[in-house]
Amino acid sequence: MTEETPGFDEKPDVPSGANPGDAESKAAESDKGSTESESGPAAPAGDAAQDVALTAQLDQVRTALNERTADLQRLQAEYQNYRRRVERDRITVKEVAVAALLSELLPTLDDIGRAREHGELVGGFKSVAEALETVIAKMGLQQFGKEGEPFDPTIHEALMHSYAPDVTETTCVAILQPGYRIGERTIRPARVAVAEPQPGAAGKADEASASSDEDGNGPEEG
């Protein structure tokens, strides 16, 4: 039998010239490698948290971008409405100013019209009158009102009234003063004399027509 010395543990053989600490380090690395191979590589928790944070920031940026885009579109629509309103107001102001100016010239135009009717529009006066009429026509002034047209209270002003057997509706039979307009804006209504159908004329005409039909379609005497 071999006698064992008490108090001494057996240690792995260490080659001569090697440091005993190297053997222990290799043993520790071996144990670590076996542990990693059994459980697999550990996922870095910091990368997952960073991805979540970046996704949240991206969502915030997209939301802010959508809000700014909507604000820009609203501002553009408001600006377009503002431009249209300013342009409309500018045109209205211009029309009002032109209408006010031409309204002051209407008595002069009436005088020119009366002179033309009486054959007095001759010589230099004729040239000046025609030049004035050309200018106001370029400014958009239009004359209206003709004899024989139906009476329209929106553009005609009746100064005289009578009855006539040869009309079937209220008709302008004389133009006392022509009307003037700029576009759809009436500067002055046409001042006219109107005639209405003779009271009872329509009834008499119907009776005459009925009588004629009866005479023509009645039974013939043998």
Side-chain angles (χ1 to χ4, degrees):
M1 286 182 69
T2 305
E3 295 182 359
E4 295 179 358
T5 306
F8 292 93
D9 297 331
E10 293 184 358
K11 295 182 179 180
D13 295 337
V14 179
S16 59
N19 189 353
D22 294 340
E24 296 179 358
S25 177
K26 289 180 179 181
E29 290 177 358
S30 177
D31 294 339
K32 180 179 179 181
S34 62
T35 303
E36 292 181 353
S37 62
E38 292 176 358
S39 61
D47 293 343
Q50 186 176 8
D51 292 341
V52 173
L54 290 175
T55 301
Q57 291 179 358
L58 181 60
D59 292 339
Q60 291 178 355
V61 171
R62 287 176 178 171
T63 302
L65 178 61
N66 293 334
E67 292 176 353
R68 298 299 179 272
T69 302
D71 292 341
L72 179 59
Q73 292 174 347
R74 183 169 58 255
L75 288 175
Q76 288 178 339
E78 291 177 355
Y79 178 67
Q80 293 298 330
N81 292 334
Y82 169 76
R83 288 187 59 185
R84 285 193 290 267
R85 185 168 60 253
V86 169
E87 182 65 17
R88 185 172 59 251
D89 293 344
R90 185 185 67 81
I91 293 174
T92 301
V93 169
K94 180 180 177 181
E95 290 179 351
V96 170
V98 172
L101 173 62
L102 295 179
S103 296
E104 298 296 328
L105 294 176
L106 295 185
T108 303
L109 296 177
D110 292 336
D111 292 339
I112 292 174
R114 284 190 290 268
R116 182 178 285 113
E117 290 176 358
H118 292 85
E120 299 174 356
L121 197 63
V122 294
F125 180 47
K126 179 180 179 181
S127 300
V128 173
E130 291 177 348
L132 177 61
E133 290 173 340
T134 300
V135 171
I136 62 176
K138 289 182 179 179
M139 298 178 69
L141 186 67
Q142 298 176 347
Q143 185 182 102
F144 66 90
K146 294 181 180 180
E147 293 183 5
E149 63 185 7
F151 176 75
D152 184 352
T154 63
I155 60 174
H156 297 137
E157 180 182 354
L159 300 182
M160 299 178 64
H161 178 270
S162 63
Y163 294 98
D166 57 343
V167 297
T168 58
E169 60 179 341
T170 305
T171 305
C172 300
V173 294
I175 305 300
L176 306 179
Q177 281 185 332
Y180 290 96
R181 66 164 63 97
I182 299 177
E184 300 298 326
R185 182 189 298 271
T186 299
I187 303 301
R188 186 183 72 185
R191 293 167 179 168
V192 300
V194 299
E196 290 183 307
Q198 191 74 29
K204 292 180 181 179
D206 293 339
E207 291 176 1
S209 177
S211 176
S212 175
D213 292 340
E214 291 177 358
D215 293 341
N217 298 328
E220 296 181 359
E221 295 181 358

